[in-house]
Amino acid sequence: MRYVKHKQAEMARVAIWLSCVLLLAATCQGLKYGYYSRSCPPAEFIVRAVVGKAVRQNPGIGAGLIRMAFHDCFVQGCDASVLLDPTPANQRPEKLSPPNFPSLRGFEVIDAAKAAVERACPGVVSCADIVQFAGRDASVILSKGRVNYALQSGRFDGRVSLETEALAFLPPPFFNLTELIDSFKVKGLSVDDLVVLSGSHTVGRSHCSSFSDRISTPPSDINPGLATVLKRQCPANPNFTNDPTVVLDVVTPTKLDNQYYKNVLRHQVLFNSDAALLTSRETARKVVQNAFRSRQWEKKFARAMVKMANIEIKTAANGEVRRNCRIVN
């Protein structure tokens, strides 16, 4: 589904100002390792088992869960607000916004993990923690164990979920480098975090509408061979009823690795936001480093995921532990 560009660009500018007011400085307040060691010892094991089964059956779900962890944290902080369903009082939550619908996947895996955890420890484990555990566990599987990290937990679930905030805070695929840097900066993330987390585009799929301008409107820096392949897979004018998906990484589409950066250097990436990483000397240098130092990128990706998982954490004072991840208590 194509973004409404002029509207989102304006909302992004508003978001930069608004974040300066609302941002809670990536605090880890209330989080700790082993948070559930007494209240629900098997919590992480249960989530890992559910995620493992789903991702081994469909690796694309793993990519969706990694993306979900990112999309949740960039709107209202890491509080599972992306999971909330529409209600009569709020008919347009985050999950129905263009950045998330219909492309975001993995909701049913979070539901299954939550149900399993609730059977073991009712009312204890937050949906927000499950989302971050699931993103971590999917990373482990898709990287064949090379990306792994411990996560602090103790996040509380939010009660607010608005389509407009998803439009304002989630960087779209047409952003240029300045816009990307600004959108990460207001969430307490650095230029290096931007480049490192962009590497998640080595797994998953994209709707044709998210990059159709790059293969239909010359000039474009996209590799001509890739453009030809994409034109065969995508309609000339994608719309809601005719918007197929293609793999983000044509080389290793189901493996979380540093192939993405090699694709950037070869101009074999789909989004303007990917190609934008070559438009400054600083980010281009980081792309080259990540392309040729796979182990270093894996470690940096793990650190960046941990840092992202600490954005604007809610506590018992402004959050809750939902019984059902789709609705507030």
Side-chain angles (χ1 to χ4, degrees), residues 131-268:
V131 168
Q132 296 308 312
F133 291 155
R136 184 264 314 275
D137 297 338
S139 298
V140 173
I141 297 167
L142 295 180
S143 69
K144 299 188 183 302
R146 294 180 66 86
V147 174
N148 200 351
Y149 49 94
L151 270 175
Q152 293 180 315
S153 48
R155 297 166 189 81
F156 281 76
D157 300 324
R159 303 183 182 93
V160 176
S161 183
L162 301 172
E163 174 189 42
T164 53
E165 292 192 356
L167 284 167
F169 288 100
L170 290 170
F174 57 78
F175 261 15
N176 63 35
L177 185 60
T178 299
E179 292 167 323
L180 289 169
I181 290 173
D182 287 344
S183 68
F184 273 66
K185 183 178 180 180
V186 296
K187 294 300 175 183
L189 299 177
S190 67
V191 174
D192 196 53
D193 294 325
L194 162 63
V195 177
V196 168
L197 290 172
S198 294
S200 63
H201 289 175
T202 192
V203 288
R205 304 181 69 85
S206 168
H207 283 271
C208 292
S209 59
S210 294
F211 60 86
S212 58
D213 58 324
R214 289 191 20 100
I215 59 174
S216 63
T217 308
S220 170
D221 70 338
I222 196 167
N223 179 281
L226 177 59
T228 299
V229 171
L230 294 172
K231 286 179 181 179
R232 294 195 195 108
Q233 296 175 302
C234 294
N237 296 295
N239 55 54
F240 191 78
T241 59
N242 185 20
D243 193 7
T245 62
V246 301
V247 294
L248 290 172
D249 179 353
V250 296
V251 183
T252 58
T254 61
K255 186 178 179 182
L256 184 65
D257 58 15
N258 69 327
Q259 180 63 43
Y260 165 80
Y261 300 99
K262 299 173 186 177
N263 294 345
V264 172
L265 293 173
R266 295 168 184 164
H267 301 281
Q268 292 181 331

Side-chain angles (χ1 to χ4, degrees), residues 264-285:
V264 172
L265 293 173
R266 295 168 184 164
H267 301 281
Q268 292 181 331
V269 285
L270 301 187
F271 304 143
N272 280 315
S273 58
D274 295 323
L277 298 183
L278 294 182
T279 60
S280 85
R281 181 175 299 179
E282 178 187 10
T283 54
R285 176 175 53 82

Side-chain angles (χ1 to χ4, degrees), residues 8 11-12 14-16 18-19 22 70 74-76 164-171 175 183 186-187 312:
Q8 185 156 352
M11 296 186 91
V14 174
I16 292 170
L18 192 60
S19 291
L22 299 178
F70 173 85
F74 261 56
V75 185
Q76 288 281 334
T164 53
E165 292 192 356
L167 284 167
F169 288 100
L170 290 170
F175 261 15
S183 68
V186 296
K187 294 300 175 183
E312 299 171 33

